Structure formats: C-alpha cells, structure tokens
Amino acid sequence: MMTALSPSVTVAVVGSGAMGQGIAQVAAQAGHTVLLFDTRPGAAGAAIEAIAKALTALVEKGKRSAAERDATLDRLCAVDGLADLAPAGLVVEAIVEDLDVKRRLFAGIEAVVAPDAILTTNTSSLSVTAIAAGVARPERLAGLHFFNPAPLMALVEVVSGLATAADVLDSLFDTARAWGKSPVRCRSTPGFIVNRVARPFYAEGLRLLQEGAADPATLDAVMREAGGFRMGPFELMDLIGHDVNFAVTRSVHAAYFGDPRFQPSLIQQELVEAGRLGRKSGRGFYDHSPGAARPATSEAAAGPRPSRVVVEGDLGPAAALPGLLRDAGATVEERPGDGVLMVDGVTLALTDGRSATQRAAEDGRTPLVLFDLALDWSKATRVALAAADGTPAEALASAAGLFQALGKNVSVIDDAPGMVVLRTVAMLANEAADAAFQGVASPADIDLAMTKGVNYPLGPLAWADRIGGTRVLAALDALARTYGEDRYRASALLRRKIWGGTHFHG
Ligand code: NAI
C-alpha cells in the first residue's frame, strides 16, 4: 500500500543552510507547500532567492518551464518563528550538527505541530535515537538523510531510531520515492550506510600513500581507469574538503569505540593542520590554484610486444584477458595450472592480497609480477603492476609490454599487499558485509546507497559476488596476516557466505 504523504501536506524545513535550502526545493518541486525557518534573520528569505536563481538557470537551459518554476516558488514561504510551523505534517530539520540544539528545537516543534506530524532530522553523524529521546513521542521521529546537493543527489537514507514506528518509516520511504529520490532504509548506527561503508575508499588510499606505494596522482588514476570509479580517493578528498572528511572519519572512529577499521590518517590530519583543505583552500593533495598543472602519473616505459603468451588455468576475475590478447594479435596457448599468465619466462598473476615478494617466496615462481584488479578488462585504460623484490627490469618490461599490447597504460607501483583496486574493493565489501551482518541495512539497500550516494560503479557486495567471496576473503586474510592488524579482520558474514556457497545478491 502506498503511504506517501499527499502533496497537500505542508512541509516545514528548519535550517536554511546548504542542506535545508536543497531539501526545501525538492519538497516544493514535489508539490508541497514548504515553510522555511532559520534563526538567522533573513536566511530563509535568502535561501528562497537562491532557489529562484537555481530554477531560473534551469529554465534558461530549457530543463524547466517558467510556469513550473513559478509554481515551485509560489509554494515556498519563509516564516519568522517556530509557531508558524503549526500547519506542518512533516518537519525536516537541517540545523547545526549539535545534539542539544537539535533536541531543544524538536521539543519546541513538538509543542506547535499536530500530534500525528512526522518529525525528521537530516543529521549525518548524530544518533537518531538520541535526538528522539528528547521528544515526548519518539515513535514519530526518524532520520531523513539527504546528500549534498539535495536537488541533484538521488539517495536518501531513511534512518530508524530505536523507537521509530514502522508506519512512519514506510511513509517517509514512499514520500522520498514520490519526490523522485532513491530511498534506502537503515538503522541509526554511526555513519548510517554511506558514511560508514565509504571509509575504506579514503582510508586504504591514505595507507597506500603513507607506505609509499605510489603518489596520489597515480593512485587516483589506477582507481579511475582500472577500478572504474568516477574519482580517485585523493581528488575526491580534495573536493569534499579535508576538514570535513577528517571530521567524519574521526566521528565514525570514535562512535565505534576506536575500532581500528576506521582509524584516521596522520597524513590527512597534517593536511588539516597545514590548512591544506583541498579545492576550497586552493591546495590539498593537489595544487588547485589557477593555472596549476596536474602532476603527472607514473607511466611504465614501452615494453616488448608479446608474441606468445601461455595461460595456465582459470584466471578468475581476469578471465577476459586471453581473448583480449588474441584480439590484439598475440598467440595464446592455454593449459591447466593455477591461474597465471606466462610471457618471456615471467609469471604474471592477479593480486590475491599477498605482496609479490611474499607470493614469489611461497609459491616458488620467479620472476613474478602481479597485476591489480580491473572493473572491466575491455574498458580499463590502465593497469597497475607490482614486482617481487629483486625482479629484473626486463621481466617487469615484459609484463608491461603485455598490457600495453592491449592498449592499456601501465603504472608500476611498489610491492603493496593487495595493490590498489583489489585492496580497496575488498575492504569496501568487507565493511558492507559487516553492516549487513549487523542488520544496519539489507545488502540491496547497501549497494543502492553506495551507487547512488557516492557514485560507485558497482555496489561493494555485487562486486564481491562478481570477484567471488573466496577471493575477497583471501585478500583480507592476507592483509590481516601481513599487517597483524585487526583493521583487516574479515566480516563473519563474508565467511558464512563462502561456507554456505551463497551470494549477497540472489
Ligand atoms: P549550514 O551551516 O549550511 O546550515 C545550518 C543552518 O541552520 C544555518 O542557516 C543556521 O542559521 C541554522 N540554524 C542553526 N541553529 C538553528 C536553530 N536552532 N533553528 C533554526 N535554524 C538554525 O549546515 P548544513 O551543511 O546545511 O547542515 C545542516 C544539517 O545537515 C547538519 O545536521 C548536517 O550534519 C547535515 N548534513 C549536511 C550535509 C552537507 O554536506 N553539508 C550532508 C547531509 C547532512
């Protein structure tokens, strides 16, 4: 049964900053009368003017009619006091991120709105349960977490506090959908879905940088051009702002009682201390001053063209390579074996979470060069390679030549366990699995949140299904053994999926 609030229900948006303004626009576009309130004098009116400007720009681009814009603007109304919010059937709070201030506000709102009005908070980092504990009827309070900018970002996390009633959540979910959004359901736990599951995207990049695996430009290029991510971690952190990104990491780390999985990075702390906040301050990992050149990525020199390649056994997630090599004119001989390629006497293998040096020593195959995971081998324009210590330069050149023959750029990184894409994806999948395991959200909603909220090319759990849970687990276990840190412990749900022979989806 559809339980979306009718457009005839008045919506109150409290706080008309970046988020309140965007949410007010979304609700008004969906046909609701929107009352906008802010304690800063003139702020609500200014927000409506900003919405008018944004809508006029859309009219000029032909994306809206002038009549639609005028109708939306007619539905927006700045009000002067909390008492004016009395007609609201839905309240969305988007004020300063402070528990006491939010609790006080909701107590004031509860005193003026109808007993069946739904109360929501757009908080990113506070407990919805804790905010609701301050009101007389906590069952009608939930999180309605939009992403910035709210009119453009499709994802809305509908967050249940301990006391939130099921029909309130259903109604918010259906209302968000009626507003053209992609809602997901989650329990009020630190970081909800996106701000929790995305942590390893930044954290593993920062670890790889700290350990000297490669420079930021190369790590970003590998994540984009092999991993299929729209942005690499360093350019994305520069865009978000290091102050904001570091604060979220610290808050999630503290909220999980110091779980090492969320440990913040000294490198990022130093950038914040230096005032290198990213694009907004002109400098972060990159120099954003006008005219500044983007640093070059590390590119391998042209290697010899492979004439004959031997494929031993099943290459798993790299199974597309033999076909691509044949298409590129190489002679490919396939024979049984343990999933490696051989060219000019060099063994090439997809990283399994062990360093090349460890793997060469354990498996006795030298010279050994590892390659990183790619989302889609035919579309990837770059491949990262890592060689075992002591590998001759000619061996590395032969390995580079093989991928260059496929039209890929090649970046040689230091011998980092799990390399870049596999290590990051394994950790994202692990965090997603643990969130599902702890009942924070369903696997389907977690993957939807990560594709809609942070534009990942594939949900982390769908990615784990595609690579195979066994490989993801092997990578995590190898990282845990190498580093001896609890940070890389595998989720019990991942192990269970493997034992049960099942997938996260279907
Ligand atoms: P902001 O600082 O741009 O706007 C907050 C507004 O609330 C200001 O205009 C301020 O005058 C007003 N305000 C403060 N106390 C008030 C009160 N007691 N009553 C009425 N108005 C009051 O903040 P922003 O970025 O819009 O964030 C608002 C909320 O949304 C926070 O809870 C934040 O965690 C959350 N959020 C922020 C996102 C972001 O990317 N900025 C994304 C998703 C959620």
Side-chain angles (χ1 to χ4, degrees), residues 60-98:
E60 281 162 5
K61 282 190 202 150
K63 292 189 173 167
R64 282 274 189 303
S65 72
E68 279 172 309
R69 172 198 58 194
D70 296 344
T72 300
L73 291 174
D74 282 348
R75 290 191 281 267
L76 284 158
C77 177
V79 300
D80 297 327
L82 276 191
D84 298 323
L85 305 181
L90 169 65
V91 178
V92 186
E93 168 275 310
I95 68 163
V96 59
E97 190 76 332
D98 180 304

PDB file of all heavy atoms in Angstrom, residues 60-98:
ATOM      1  N   GLU A  60      16.462  28.642 -18.185  1.00  0.00           N
ATOM      2  CA  GLU A  60      17.295  29.150 -19.289  1.00  0.00           C
ATOM      3  C   GLU A  60      17.949  28.023 -20.081  1.00  0.00           C
ATOM      4  O   GLU A  60      18.167  28.139 -21.280  1.00  0.00           O
ATOM      5  CB  GLU A  60      18.363  30.123 -18.749  1.00  0.00           C
ATOM      6  CG  GLU A  60      17.751  31.494 -18.487  1.00  0.00           C
ATOM      7  CD  GLU A  60      18.585  32.373 -17.566  1.00  0.00           C
ATOM      8  OE1 GLU A  60      19.706  31.966 -17.190  1.00  0.00           O
ATOM      9  OE2 GLU A  60      18.084  33.459 -17.207  1.00  0.00           O
ATOM     10  N   LYS A  61      18.232  26.914 -19.390  1.00  0.00           N
ATOM     11  CA  LYS A  61      18.830  25.768 -20.092  1.00  0.00           C
ATOM     12  C   LYS A  61      17.763  24.903 -20.761  1.00  0.00           C
ATOM     13  O   LYS A  61      18.082  23.868 -21.347  1.00  0.00           O
ATOM     14  CB  LYS A  61      19.599  24.895 -19.096  1.00  0.00           C
ATOM     15  CG  LYS A  61      20.956  25.459 -18.707  1.00  0.00           C
ATOM     16  CD  LYS A  61      21.755  24.416 -17.923  1.00  0.00           C
ATOM     17  CE  LYS A  61      22.826  25.062 -17.089  1.00  0.00           C
ATOM     18  NZ  LYS A  61      23.116  24.309 -15.870  1.00  0.00           N
ATOM     19  N   GLY A  62      16.495  25.293 -20.590  1.00  0.00           N
ATOM     20  CA  GLY A  62      15.406  24.524 -21.201  1.00  0.00           C
ATOM     21  C   GLY A  62      15.043  23.267 -20.431  1.00  0.00           C
ATOM     22  O   GLY A  62      14.357  22.389 -20.946  1.00  0.00           O
ATOM     23  N   LYS A  63      15.525  23.167 -19.185  1.00  0.00           N
ATOM     24  CA  LYS A  63      15.247  21.952 -18.406  1.00  0.00           C
ATOM     25  C   LYS A  63      13.970  22.068 -17.568  1.00  0.00           C
ATOM     26  O   LYS A  63      13.531  21.092 -16.943  1.00  0.00           O
ATOM     27  CB  LYS A  63      16.435  21.641 -17.487  1.00  0.00           C
ATOM     28  CG  LYS A  63      17.668  21.225 -18.273  1.00  0.00           C
ATOM     29  CD  LYS A  63      18.764  20.715 -17.384  1.00  0.00           C
ATOM     30  CE  LYS A  63      19.900  20.152 -18.232  1.00  0.00           C
ATOM     31  NZ  LYS A  63      21.099  19.919 -17.483  1.00  0.00           N
ATOM     32  N   ARG A  64      13.408  23.249 -17.464  1.00  0.00           N
ATOM     33  CA  ARG A  64      12.163  23.507 -16.720  1.00  0.00           C
ATOM     34  C   ARG A  64      11.376  24.555 -17.494  1.00  0.00           C
ATOM     35  O   ARG A  64      11.982  25.390 -18.163  1.00  0.00           O
ATOM     36  CB  ARG A  64      12.460  24.166 -15.367  1.00  0.00           C
ATOM     37  CG  ARG A  64      12.951  23.310 -14.273  1.00  0.00           C
ATOM     38  CD  ARG A  64      11.819  22.660 -13.488  1.00  0.00           C
ATOM     39  NE  ARG A  64      12.378  22.016 -12.303  1.00  0.00           N
ATOM     40  CZ  ARG A  64      13.322  21.081 -12.313  1.00  0.00           C
ATOM     41  NH1 ARG A  64      13.819  20.670 -13.440  1.00  0.00           N
ATOM     42  NH2 ARG A  64      13.778  20.567 -11.186  1.00  0.00           N
ATOM     43  N   SER A  65      10.063  24.525 -17.326  1.00  0.00           N
ATOM     44  CA  SER A  65       9.288  25.621 -17.906  1.00  0.00           C
ATOM     45  C   SER A  65       9.223  26.749 -16.886  1.00  0.00           C
ATOM     46  O   SER A  65       9.369  26.518 -15.682  1.00  0.00           O
ATOM     47  CB  SER A  65       7.882  25.141 -18.275  1.00  0.00           C
ATOM     48  OG  SER A  65       7.133  24.948 -17.092  1.00  0.00           O
ATOM     49  N   ALA A  66       9.008  27.962 -17.375  1.00  0.00           N
ATOM     50  CA  ALA A  66       8.894  29.113 -16.473  1.00  0.00           C
ATOM     51  C   ALA A  66       7.693  28.917 -15.547  1.00  0.00           C
ATOM     52  O   ALA A  66       7.726  29.304 -14.373  1.00  0.00           O
ATOM     53  CB  ALA A  66       8.761  30.396 -17.281  1.00  0.00           C
ATOM     54  N   ALA A  67       6.646  28.278 -16.054  1.00  0.00           N
ATOM     55  CA  ALA A  67       5.442  28.057 -15.237  1.00  0.00           C
ATOM     56  C   ALA A  67       5.749  27.109 -14.076  1.00  0.00           C
ATOM     57  O   ALA A  67       5.306  27.335 -12.942  1.00  0.00           O
ATOM     58  CB  ALA A  67       4.327  27.484 -16.114  1.00  0.00           C
ATOM     59  N   GLU A  68       6.557  26.062 -14.351  1.00  0.00           N
ATOM     60  CA  GLU A  68       6.930  25.123 -13.276  1.00  0.00           C
ATOM     61  C   GLU A  68       7.741  25.853 -12.201  1.00  0.00           C
ATOM     62  O   GLU A  68       7.547  25.659 -11.004  1.00  0.00           O
ATOM     63  CB  GLU A  68       7.779  23.980 -13.836  1.00  0.00           C
ATOM     64  CG  GLU A  68       6.995  22.874 -14.501  1.00  0.00           C
ATOM     65  CD  GLU A  68       7.935  21.879 -15.191  1.00  0.00           C
ATOM     66  OE1 GLU A  68       8.805  22.296 -15.978  1.00  0.00           O
ATOM     67  OE2 GLU A  68       7.789  20.689 -14.925  1.00  0.00           O
ATOM     68  N   ARG A  69       8.675  26.668 -12.668  1.00  0.00           N
ATOM     69  CA  ARG A  69       9.498  27.430 -11.714  1.00  0.00           C
ATOM     70  C   ARG A  69       8.620  28.317 -10.847  1.00  0.00           C
ATOM     71  O   ARG A  69       8.732  28.314  -9.620  1.00  0.00           O
ATOM     72  CB  ARG A  69      10.496  28.311 -12.476  1.00  0.00           C
ATOM     73  CG  ARG A  69      11.262  29.271 -11.554  1.00  0.00           C
ATOM     74  CD  ARG A  69      11.896  30.406 -12.321  1.00  0.00           C
ATOM     75  NE  ARG A  69      10.894  31.167 -13.066  1.00  0.00           N
ATOM     76  CZ  ARG A  69      11.188  32.037 -14.020  1.00  0.00           C
ATOM     77  NH1 ARG A  69      12.437  32.259 -14.370  1.00  0.00           N
ATOM     78  NH2 ARG A  69      10.223  32.690 -14.638  1.00  0.00           N
ATOM     79  N   ASP A  70       7.686  29.043 -11.470  1.00  0.00           N
ATOM     80  CA  ASP A  70       6.852  29.972 -10.716  1.00  0.00           C
ATOM     81  C   ASP A  70       5.968  29.224  -9.720  1.00  0.00           C
ATOM     82  O   ASP A  70       5.774  29.668  -8.591  1.00  0.00           O
ATOM     83  CB  ASP A  70       6.007  30.819 -11.675  1.00  0.00           C
ATOM     84  CG  ASP A  70       6.904  31.710 -12.545  1.00  0.00           C
ATOM     85  OD1 ASP A  70       8.101  31.871 -12.179  1.00  0.00           O
ATOM     86  OD2 ASP A  70       6.425  32.218 -13.581  1.00  0.00           O
ATOM     87  N   ALA A  71       5.457  28.056 -10.153  1.00  0.00           N
ATOM     88  CA  ALA A  71       4.585  27.278  -9.252  1.00  0.00           C
ATOM     89  C   ALA A  71       5.401  26.793  -8.048  1.00  0.00           C
ATOM     90  O   ALA A  71       4.944  26.838  -6.896  1.00  0.00           O
ATOM     91  CB  ALA A  71       3.981  26.099  -9.998  1.00  0.00           C
ATOM     92  N   THR A  72       6.647  26.340  -8.301  1.00  0.00           N
ATOM     93  CA  THR A  72       7.504  25.880  -7.197  1.00  0.00           C
ATOM     94  C   THR A  72       7.769  27.037  -6.234  1.00  0.00           C
ATOM     95  O   THR A  72       7.642  26.885  -5.008  1.00  0.00           O
ATOM     96  CB  THR A  72       8.840  25.326  -7.756  1.00  0.00           C
ATOM     97  OG1 THR A  72       8.560  24.239  -8.614  1.00  0.00           O
ATOM     98  CG2 THR A  72       9.748  24.848  -6.631  1.00  0.00           C
ATOM     99  N   LEU A  73       8.110  28.184  -6.777  1.00  0.00           N
ATOM    100  CA  LEU A  73       8.441  29.336  -5.921  1.00  0.00           C
ATOM    101  C   LEU A  73       7.222  29.800  -5.118  1.00  0.00           C
ATOM    102  O   LEU A  73       7.363  30.206  -3.959  1.00  0.00           O
ATOM    103  CB  LEU A  73       9.013  30.478  -6.761  1.00  0.00           C
ATOM    104  CG  LEU A  73      10.403  30.191  -7.355  1.00  0.00           C
ATOM    105  CD1 LEU A  73      10.839  31.301  -8.292  1.00  0.00           C
ATOM    106  CD2 LEU A  73      11.445  29.992  -6.241  1.00  0.00           C
ATOM    107  N   ASP A  74       6.041  29.699  -5.726  1.00  0.00           N
ATOM    108  CA  ASP A  74       4.808  30.098  -5.012  1.00  0.00           C
ATOM    109  C   ASP A  74       4.565  29.224  -3.787  1.00  0.00           C
ATOM    110  O   ASP A  74       3.877  29.626  -2.857  1.00  0.00           O
ATOM    111  CB  ASP A  74       3.594  29.972  -5.939  1.00  0.00           C
ATOM    112  CG  ASP A  74       3.525  31.161  -6.900  1.00  0.00           C
ATOM    113  OD1 ASP A  74       4.272  32.134  -6.670  1.00  0.00           O
ATOM    114  OD2 ASP A  74       2.759  31.075  -7.886  1.00  0.00           O
ATOM    115  N   ARG A  75       5.102  28.010  -3.825  1.00  0.00           N
ATOM    116  CA  ARG A  75       4.856  27.089  -2.705  1.00  0.00           C
ATOM    117  C   ARG A  75       5.857  27.283  -1.567  1.00  0.00           C
ATOM    118  O   ARG A  75       5.739  26.671  -0.519  1.00  0.00           O
ATOM    119  CB  ARG A  75       4.908  25.636  -3.210  1.00  0.00           C
ATOM    120  CG  ARG A  75       3.720  25.267  -4.092  1.00  0.00           C
ATOM    121  CD  ARG A  75       3.650  23.778  -4.354  1.00  0.00           C
ATOM    122  NE  ARG A  75       4.570  23.334  -5.375  1.00  0.00           N
ATOM    123  CZ  ARG A  75       4.280  23.215  -6.678  1.00  0.00           C
ATOM    124  NH1 ARG A  75       3.064  23.505  -7.107  1.00  0.00           N
ATOM    125  NH2 ARG A  75       5.177  22.800  -7.523  1.00  0.00           N
ATOM    126  N   LEU A  76       6.890  28.101  -1.771  1.00  0.00           N
ATOM    127  CA  LEU A  76       7.926  28.305  -0.737  1.00  0.00           C
ATOM    128  C   LEU A  76       7.627  29.557   0.074  1.00  0.00           C
ATOM    129  O   LEU A  76       7.361  30.620  -0.502  1.00  0.00           O
ATOM    130  CB  LEU A  76       9.298  28.466  -1.416  1.00  0.00           C
ATOM    131  CG  LEU A  76       9.925  27.174  -1.938  1.00  0.00           C
ATOM    132  CD1 LEU A  76      10.958  27.481  -3.019  1.00  0.00           C
ATOM    133  CD2 LEU A  76      10.576  26.406  -0.791  1.00  0.00           C
ATOM    134  N   CYS A  77       7.702  29.422   1.390  1.00  0.00           N
ATOM    135  CA  CYS A  77       7.339  30.549   2.238  1.00  0.00           C
ATOM    136  C   CYS A  77       8.292  30.634   3.439  1.00  0.00           C
ATOM    137  O   CYS A  77       8.410  29.677   4.213  1.00  0.00           O
ATOM    138  CB  CYS A  77       5.893  30.321   2.688  1.00  0.00           C
ATOM    139  SG  CYS A  77       5.310  31.569   3.803  1.00  0.00           S
ATOM    140  N   ALA A  78       8.985  31.761   3.561  1.00  0.00           N
ATOM    141  CA  ALA A  78       9.867  31.957   4.725  1.00  0.00           C
ATOM    142  C   ALA A  78       9.016  32.388   5.915  1.00  0.00           C
ATOM    143  O   ALA A  78       8.129  33.229   5.759  1.00  0.00           O
ATOM    144  CB  ALA A  78      10.908  33.028   4.402  1.00  0.00           C
ATOM    145  N   VAL A  79       9.252  31.785   7.075  1.00  0.00           N
ATOM    146  CA  VAL A  79       8.474  32.172   8.275  1.00  0.00           C
ATOM    147  C   VAL A  79       9.425  32.664   9.364  1.00  0.00           C
ATOM    148  O   VAL A  79      10.627  32.377   9.340  1.00  0.00           O
ATOM    149  CB  VAL A  79       7.594  31.013   8.794  1.00  0.00           C
ATOM    150  CG1 VAL A  79       6.594  30.573   7.734  1.00  0.00           C
ATOM    151  CG2 VAL A  79       8.440  29.845   9.261  1.00  0.00           C
ATOM    152  N   ASP A  80       8.840  33.393  10.336  1.00  0.00           N
ATOM    153  CA  ASP A  80       9.666  34.098  11.327  1.00  0.00           C
ATOM    154  C   ASP A  80       9.836  33.369  12.651  1.00  0.00           C
ATOM    155  O   ASP A  80      10.708  33.710  13.444  1.00  0.00           O
ATOM    156  CB  ASP A  80       9.060  35.477  11.639  1.00  0.00           C
ATOM    157  CG  ASP A  80       9.045  36.351  10.402  1.00  0.00           C
ATOM    158  OD1 ASP A  80       9.979  36.193   9.591  1.00  0.00           O
ATOM    159  OD2 ASP A  80       8.111  37.150  10.245  1.00  0.00           O
ATOM    160  N   GLY A  81       8.957  32.418  12.924  1.00  0.00           N
ATOM    161  CA  GLY A  81       9.053  31.791  14.239  1.00  0.00           C
ATOM    162  C   GLY A  81       8.575  30.355  14.203  1.00  0.00           C
ATOM    163  O   GLY A  81       7.879  29.941  13.259  1.00  0.00           O
ATOM    164  N   LEU A  82       8.926  29.589  15.227  1.00  0.00           N
ATOM    165  CA  LEU A  82       8.516  28.188  15.306  1.00  0.00           C
ATOM    166  C   LEU A  82       7.001  28.040  15.289  1.00  0.00           C
ATOM    167  O   LEU A  82       6.469  27.088  14.712  1.00  0.00           O
ATOM    168  CB  LEU A  82       9.049  27.555  16.593  1.00  0.00           C
ATOM    169  CG  LEU A  82      10.474  27.007  16.606  1.00  0.00           C
ATOM    170  CD1 LEU A  82      10.688  26.203  17.878  1.00  0.00           C
ATOM    171  CD2 LEU A  82      10.752  26.146  15.387  1.00  0.00           C
ATOM    172  N   ALA A  83       6.299  28.987  15.904  1.00  0.00           N
ATOM    173  CA  ALA A  83       4.837  28.902  15.990  1.00  0.00           C
ATOM    174  C   ALA A  83       4.212  28.845  14.598  1.00  0.00           C
ATOM    175  O   ALA A  83       3.156  28.232  14.406  1.00  0.00           O
ATOM    176  CB  ALA A  83       4.293  30.104  16.770  1.00  0.00           C
ATOM    177  N   ASP A  84       4.895  29.450  13.611  1.00  0.00           N
ATOM    178  CA  ASP A  84       4.373  29.464  12.243  1.00  0.00           C
ATOM    179  C   ASP A  84       4.408  28.082  11.585  1.00  0.00           C
ATOM    180  O   ASP A  84       3.860  27.890  10.508  1.00  0.00           O
ATOM    181  CB  ASP A  84       5.195  30.437  11.379  1.00  0.00           C
ATOM    182  CG  ASP A  84       5.097  31.865  11.890  1.00  0.00           C
ATOM    183  OD1 ASP A  84       4.003  32.240  12.348  1.00  0.00           O
ATOM    184  OD2 ASP A  84       6.113  32.584  11.855  1.00  0.00           O
ATOM    185  N   LEU A  85       5.112  27.143  12.234  1.00  0.00           N
ATOM    186  CA  LEU A  85       5.229  25.802  11.637  1.00  0.00           C
ATOM    187  C   LEU A  85       4.044  24.910  11.996  1.00  0.00           C
ATOM    188  O   LEU A  85       3.999  23.742  11.593  1.00  0.00           O
ATOM    189  CB  LEU A  85       6.541  25.132  12.076  1.00  0.00           C
ATOM    190  CG  LEU A  85       7.837  25.913  11.806  1.00  0.00           C
ATOM    191  CD1 LEU A  85       9.050  25.115  12.259  1.00  0.00           C
ATOM    192  CD2 LEU A  85       7.969  26.261  10.316  1.00  0.00           C
ATOM    193  N   ALA A  86       3.077  25.423  12.748  1.00  0.00           N
ATOM    194  CA  ALA A  86       1.936  24.627  13.232  1.00  0.00           C
ATOM    195  C   ALA A  86       1.238  23.814  12.148  1.00  0.00           C
ATOM    196  O   ALA A  86       0.850  22.664  12.390  1.00  0.00           O
ATOM    197  CB  ALA A  86       0.939  25.545  13.956  1.00  0.00           C
ATOM    198  N   PRO A  87       1.062  24.336  10.902  1.00  0.00           N
ATOM    199  CA  PRO A  87       0.324  23.544   9.901  1.00  0.00           C
ATOM    200  C   PRO A  87       1.113  22.365   9.332  1.00  0.00           C
ATOM    201  O   PRO A  87       0.549  21.579   8.565  1.00  0.00           O
ATOM    202  CB  PRO A  87       0.054  24.557   8.766  1.00  0.00           C
ATOM    203  CG  PRO A  87       0.488  25.894   9.259  1.00  0.00           C
ATOM    204  CD  PRO A  87       1.407  25.684  10.402  1.00  0.00           C
ATOM    205  N   ALA A  88       2.387  22.214   9.689  1.00  0.00           N
ATOM    206  CA  ALA A  88       3.221  21.201   9.033  1.00  0.00           C
ATOM    207  C   ALA A  88       2.832  19.778   9.409  1.00  0.00           C
ATOM    208  O   ALA A  88       2.632  19.456  10.584  1.00  0.00           O
ATOM    209  CB  ALA A  88       4.689  21.435   9.379  1.00  0.00           C
ATOM    210  N   GLY A  89       2.747  18.904   8.381  1.00  0.00           N
ATOM    211  CA  GLY A  89       2.518  17.475   8.624  1.00  0.00           C
ATOM    212  C   GLY A  89       3.825  16.699   8.569  1.00  0.00           C
ATOM    213  O   GLY A  89       3.902  15.537   8.962  1.00  0.00           O
ATOM    214  N   LEU A  90       4.853  17.347   8.052  1.00  0.00           N
ATOM    215  CA  LEU A  90       6.199  16.751   8.013  1.00  0.00           C
ATOM    216  C   LEU A  90       7.204  17.867   8.292  1.00  0.00           C
ATOM    217  O   LEU A  90       7.143  18.921   7.664  1.00  0.00           O
ATOM    218  CB  LEU A  90       6.491  16.148   6.624  1.00  0.00           C
ATOM    219  CG  LEU A  90       7.950  15.720   6.369  1.00  0.00           C
ATOM    220  CD1 LEU A  90       8.362  14.567   7.277  1.00  0.00           C
ATOM    221  CD2 LEU A  90       8.155  15.315   4.896  1.00  0.00           C
ATOM    222  N   VAL A  91       8.086  17.610   9.245  1.00  0.00           N
ATOM    223  CA  VAL A  91       9.139  18.577   9.557  1.00  0.00           C
ATOM    224  C   VAL A  91      10.475  17.940   9.195  1.00  0.00           C
ATOM    225  O   VAL A  91      10.741  16.792   9.561  1.00  0.00           O
ATOM    226  CB  VAL A  91       9.144  18.938  11.063  1.00  0.00           C
ATOM    227  CG1 VAL A  91      10.277  19.920  11.380  1.00  0.00           C
ATOM    228  CG2 VAL A  91       7.795  19.517  11.486  1.00  0.00           C
ATOM    229  N   VAL A  92      11.318  18.679   8.454  1.00  0.00           N
ATOM    230  CA  VAL A  92      12.681  18.210   8.173  1.00  0.00           C
ATOM    231  C   VAL A  92      13.632  19.200   8.828  1.00  0.00           C
ATOM    232  O   VAL A  92      13.651  20.375   8.481  1.00  0.00           O
ATOM    233  CB  VAL A  92      12.975  18.131   6.658  1.00  0.00           C
ATOM    234  CG1 VAL A  92      14.347  17.491   6.436  1.00  0.00           C
ATOM    235  CG2 VAL A  92      11.895  17.361   5.922  1.00  0.00           C
ATOM    236  N   GLU A  93      14.405  18.700   9.790  1.00  0.00           N
ATOM    237  CA  GLU A  93      15.360  19.570  10.492  1.00  0.00           C
ATOM    238  C   GLU A  93      16.719  19.475   9.829  1.00  0.00           C
ATOM    239  O   GLU A  93      17.232  18.361   9.608  1.00  0.00           O
ATOM    240  CB  GLU A  93      15.414  19.139  11.974  1.00  0.00           C
ATOM    241  CG  GLU A  93      16.538  19.735  12.782  1.00  0.00           C
ATOM    242  CD  GLU A  93      17.823  18.941  12.658  1.00  0.00           C
ATOM    243  OE1 GLU A  93      17.781  17.704  12.832  1.00  0.00           O
ATOM    244  OE2 GLU A  93      18.857  19.571  12.364  1.00  0.00           O
ATOM    245  N   ALA A  94      17.297  20.633   9.502  1.00  0.00           N
ATOM    246  CA  ALA A  94      18.646  20.670   8.894  1.00  0.00           C
ATOM    247  C   ALA A  94      19.409  21.840   9.504  1.00  0.00           C
ATOM    248  O   ALA A  94      19.880  22.730   8.792  1.00  0.00           O
ATOM    249  CB  ALA A  94      18.551  20.798   7.384  1.00  0.00           C
ATOM    250  N   ILE A  95      19.510  21.839  10.831  1.00  0.00           N
ATOM    251  CA  ILE A  95      20.220  22.933  11.526  1.00  0.00           C
ATOM    252  C   ILE A  95      21.618  22.454  11.894  1.00  0.00           C
ATOM    253  O   ILE A  95      22.057  21.376  11.493  1.00  0.00           O
ATOM    254  CB  ILE A  95      19.445  23.431  12.773  1.00  0.00           C
ATOM    255  CG1 ILE A  95      19.407  22.364  13.864  1.00  0.00           C
ATOM    256  CG2 ILE A  95      18.036  23.874  12.398  1.00  0.00           C
ATOM    257  CD1 ILE A  95      19.044  22.886  15.243  1.00  0.00           C
ATOM    258  N   VAL A  96      22.285  23.234  12.708  1.00  0.00           N
ATOM    259  CA  VAL A  96      23.652  22.945  13.130  1.00  0.00           C
ATOM    260  C   VAL A  96      23.736  21.529  13.757  1.00  0.00           C
ATOM    261  O   VAL A  96      22.790  21.057  14.395  1.00  0.00           O
ATOM    262  CB  VAL A  96      24.116  24.042  14.119  1.00  0.00           C
ATOM    263  CG1 VAL A  96      23.214  24.110  15.337  1.00  0.00           C
ATOM    264  CG2 VAL A  96      25.553  23.881  14.537  1.00  0.00           C
ATOM    265  N   GLU A  97      24.887  20.857  13.504  1.00  0.00           N
ATOM    266  CA  GLU A  97      25.079  19.466  13.953  1.00  0.00           C
ATOM    267  C   GLU A  97      25.433  19.434  15.443  1.00  0.00           C
ATOM    268  O   GLU A  97      26.606  19.270  15.807  1.00  0.00           O
ATOM    269  CB  GLU A  97      26.167  18.817  13.085  1.00  0.00           C
ATOM    270  CG  GLU A  97      26.333  17.331  13.254  1.00  0.00           C
ATOM    271  CD  GLU A  97      25.245  16.506  12.582  1.00  0.00           C
ATOM    272  OE1 GLU A  97      24.113  16.991  12.436  1.00  0.00           O
ATOM    273  OE2 GLU A  97      25.542  15.351  12.233  1.00  0.00           O
ATOM    274  N   ASP A  98      24.433  19.613  16.304  1.00  0.00           N
ATOM    275  CA  ASP A  98      24.662  19.674  17.745  1.00  0.00           C
ATOM    276  C   ASP A  98      23.463  19.021  18.433  1.00  0.00           C
ATOM    277  O   ASP A  98      22.320  19.466  18.253  1.00  0.00           O
ATOM    278  CB  ASP A  98      24.818  21.149  18.162  1.00  0.00           C
ATOM    279  CG  ASP A  98      25.063  21.322  19.652  1.00  0.00           C
ATOM    280  OD1 ASP A  98      24.243  20.837  20.458  1.00  0.00           O
ATOM    281  OD2 ASP A  98      26.084  21.955  20.004  1.00  0.00           O
TER     282      ASP A  98
END
